Amino acid sequence: MVKIPVKTTQLPIEIGEHTFYIDTSEKGAETFWKLVAGYAEKSSKITKKLEKKQIKPETAKRNAHEALEKVIDDLLGPGAFDKLFELSPEYIFISEYYMEICSAVGEELGGRKKQYFEKMQHYLEG
C-alpha cells in the first residue's frame, strides 16, 4: 500500500507563544500579495505626503501605525496586532515581524511553485 501524506495550505507562523496561520492556497496567495501591495502603497503615500509637508510628522506616524495594525490583523487574523504588541510593545518590532512574515510566505509560495514545475518536468521526461 502507498501512503500519501495529506498536504495543507495553512502555513504556521510562530511568534513567541502565538501561532498564526496564513492561507497559501492559490486564492490565499492572491489575497496575500494584494495585502502586501496595498500596505506598500499606503506606506508610500504617507511618506510622500510627509516629504511634501502635506501632513505633520505626528499625523504621518499615527497613519503609519494604523496601517501596520490593519495589515497585521488582515494577514494574521483579528486581534493579532494586539497579541504581538503585548510581546513587543514597539511598532518597529512589529514592522520587523511583518517583513519576516512576508519573506517567509514569499519563499514558501515561490518554492512550492518551483518544486511543482521541477516534479512535472521530471515526470514528463520520464
Side-chain angles (χ1 to χ4, degrees):
M1 173 173 33
V2 175
K3 281 193 172 193
I4 298 174
V6 175
K7 298 180 190 246
T8 179
T9 60
Q10 296 297 311
L11 178 66
I13 303 288
E14 189 176 309
I15 303 172
E17 70 257 13
H18 302 290
T19 302
F20 306 97
Y21 295 90
I22 295 180
D23 180 11
T24 57
S25 67
E26 288 181 27
K27 186 177 179 181
E30 187 178 314
T31 301
F32 169 77
W33 292 119
K34 282 182 183 177
L35 276 173
V36 170
Y39 178 66
E41 185 178 334
K42 186 155 190 116
S43 295
S44 176
K45 285 180 181 179
I46 293 168
T47 302
K48 286 177 184 174
K49 283 183 178 182
L50 179 63
E51 288 171 351
K52 293 178 181 179
K53 300 190 189 299
Q54 294 173 334
I55 57 175
K56 296 177 183 177
E58 308 83 52
T59 303
K61 184 177 180 178
R62 186 180 67 248
N63 290 350
H65 288 177
E66 289 171 359
L68 180 61
E69 291 172 22
K70 181 171 177 12
V71 75
I72 290 291
D73 281 347
D74 289 348
L75 188 61
L76 301 177
F81 178 85
D82 291 336
K83 290 176 183 175
L84 295 178
F85 201 76
E86 283 178 24
L87 294 174
S88 304
E90 287 288 333
Y91 278 85
I92 191 73
F93 294 148
I94 309 299
S95 183
E96 288 174 10
Y97 293 153
Y98 172 76
M99 289 185 283
E100 290 179 46
I101 291 165
C102 288
S103 176
V105 173
E107 283 180 32
E108 174 71 18
L109 294 173
R112 188 181 299 163
K113 192 178 286 187
K114 182 181 176 192
Q115 237 179 5
Y116 172 76
F117 286 116
E118 286 173 355
K119 284 182 181 179
M120 190 57 73
Q121 185 68 31
H122 177 73
Y123 174 76
L124 292 173
E125 291 173 355

